[in-house]
């Protein structure tokens, strides 16, 4: 990847006034300059007349990044070898950011929670079965025995 960024200035010069090449280069440079921590909250989506338009998740990120805009522009243009970006506009657009993140991984399954749900379901069945036993002492012994059995299975 480092080698790619070394040739980008030459590619931009060779492309001349190609807006598509400049936009693609600015997008790639943003990912490099912004870093991994910023990418989940700010995604570039257009370069228009040297203004890089970046979608952000909320007003907090918008304000924070606006205060860093000068540093970001300097980093972008240094990497690109010329003034491709002269202004960065941060727009609040959580949908665009979410789409750029791609599909999220499913959260890990909480085995203990599944076991607790199974025990609760089993417990509910046991209580329904116990209600059918009219002898209170026998009902109590049934529930104790069932509880001991369930705890052994765990």
């Amino acid at each position: 990847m480092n080698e790619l960024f070394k040739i980008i200035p030459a590619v931009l010069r060779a492309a001349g006034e190609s807006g598509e090449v400049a936009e693609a280069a600015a997008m790639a440079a943003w990912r490099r300059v912004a870093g991994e921590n910023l990418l989940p909250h700010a995604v570039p989506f257009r370069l228009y007349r040297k203004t890089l338009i970046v979608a952000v998740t909320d007003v907090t990120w918008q304000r924070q990044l606006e205060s860093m805009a000068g540093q970001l522009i300097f980093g972008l243009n240094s990497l690109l070898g010329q003034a491709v970006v002269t202004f960065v506009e941060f727009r609040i657009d959580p949908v665009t950011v979410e789409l750029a993140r791609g599909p999220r991984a499913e959260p890990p399954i909480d085995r203990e929670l599944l076991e607790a749900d199974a025990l609760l379901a089993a417990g509910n069945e046991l209580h329904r079965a116990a209600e059918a036993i009219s002898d209170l002492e026998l009902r109590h012994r049934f529930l104790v025995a069932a509880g001991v059995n369930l705890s052994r299975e765990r």
Side-chain angles (χ1 to χ4, degrees):
M1 191 67 135
N2 287 334
E3 294 170 9
L4 173 67
F5 282 103
K6 288 180 184 177
I7 64 167
I8 283 182
V11 170
L12 284 169
R13 281 191 300 276
E17 296 295 316
S18 171
E20 292 171 348
V21 173
E23 184 174 72
M27 302 289 182
W30 173 268
R31 286 168 183 78
R32 179 76 176 252
V33 170
E36 292 298 317
N37 293 331
L38 191 54
L39 291 177
H41 307 284
V43 176
F45 66 92
R46 185 159 187 225
L47 180 67
Y48 179 74
R49 295 184 181 172
K50 296 194 173 199
T51 296
L52 184 62
I53 302 168
V54 178
V56 296
T57 52
D58 56 41
V59 71
T60 303
W61 280 103
Q62 182 185 41
R63 289 181 183 152
Q64 180 66 32
L65 292 173
E66 283 173 347
S67 71
M68 299 170 50
Q71 296 167 335
L72 293 166
I73 292 168
F74 177 80
L76 290 167
N77 291 329
S78 294
L79 195 59
L80 298 171
Q82 57 183 286
V84 173
V85 178
T86 57
F87 186 77
V88 181
E89 179 183 331
F90 299 100
R91 293 184 183 173
I92 299 170
D93 187 353
V95 173
T96 297
V97 175
E98 188 66 29
L99 288 173
R101 286 180 189 165
R104 288 188 178 185
E106 289 295 317
I109 296 171
D110 186 341
R111 299 267 183 236
E112 288 183 12
L113 185 58
L114 287 176
E115 287 177 18
D117 283 346
L119 284 173
L120 182 60
N124 286 338
E125 280 185 50
L126 288 172
H127 277 286
R128 280 193 295 277
E131 286 173 358
I133 301 171
S134 58
D135 185 319
L136 293 179
E137 187 177 332
L138 185 57
R139 181 187 303 177
H140 176 72
R141 287 183 184 196
F142 172 79
L143 287 172
V144 169
V148 168
N149 188 40
L150 284 174
S151 65
R152 282 185 189 157
E153 287 179 10
R154 272 191 91 201

